[in-house]
Amino acid sequence: MQSTDARILRGAAIPTGLAGLVAIIAGLLFAGGKGALGAAIGVALVLVFFTLGMLVVSYVSRLSQQLVMMAGLLGYLVKLVAVFALVAALNHVTVWNAHVFGWTVLSLTIVWLAAEVNATINARTPYVESGHASRDLGKPGT
């Protein structure tokens, strides 16, 4: 993983984890132990899914820049299907509060995306490869 990708990952994961702690406390206060468990499972789901998505896109970007968009979209599709399958499989489970789980996943997804956008904007990622630019400086017409 490149250092820029690692900074973006930290910039998204840390605020999401902190918001997750708030969600667990809120779940405990509003719905008791089942609420806290639902929130904790939601926090784990969001952190694992989005971290894996970033790792896959980072890995693919080292292989081929042309495949990055496809990897991101395919990763999104896989996450979407996995969440639907998880919700369908655990539809009648009463061990945790499903409403707290759902609201936690929704809110932490928004927090992750906002934090990731902010970290990406502030990452100062170079968009010109300096090796090519310095090599082309001596050529006529450049």
Side-chain angles (χ1 to χ4, degrees):
M1 173 175 272
Q2 297 175 1
S3 64
T4 304
D5 294 337
R7 276 183 286 175
I8 293 171
L9 179 60
R10 280 191 308 274
I14 292 171
T16 304
L18 293 174
L21 289 175
V22 172
I24 292 170
I25 293 168
L28 181 64
L29 292 175
F30 292 115
K34 288 185 176 186
L37 181 60
I41 293 170
V43 170
L45 180 82
V46 170
L47 287 174
V48 168
F49 274 27
F50 279 99
T51 300
L52 287 175
M54 278 202 69
L55 292 174
V56 167
V57 170
S58 177
Y59 175 74
V60 169
S61 72
R62 285 187 283 141
L63 298 177
S64 171
Q65 290 293 322
Q66 290 80 12
L67 296 177
V68 171
M69 179 64 110
M70 185 190 70
L73 291 174
L74 184 62
Y76 175 75
L77 179 65
V78 167
K79 284 188 277 192
L80 190 65
V81 169
V83 167
F84 280 136
L86 182 67
V87 168
L90 301 173
N91 190 22
H92 299 292
V93 173
T94 58
V95 175
W96 69 77
N97 187 311
H99 288 99
V100 173
F101 169 78
W103 283 109
T104 300
V105 169
L106 180 65
S107 61
L108 292 185
T109 297
I110 293 168
V111 169
W112 179 284
L113 293 175
E116 185 177 10
V117 166
N118 183 47
T120 302
I121 289 171
N122 294 321
R124 303 183 198 266
T125 306
Y127 57 89
V128 176
E129 295 180 19
S130 61
H132 298 290
S134 63
R135 189 175 50 216
D136 294 337
L137 287 177
K139 293 183 181 178
T142 57

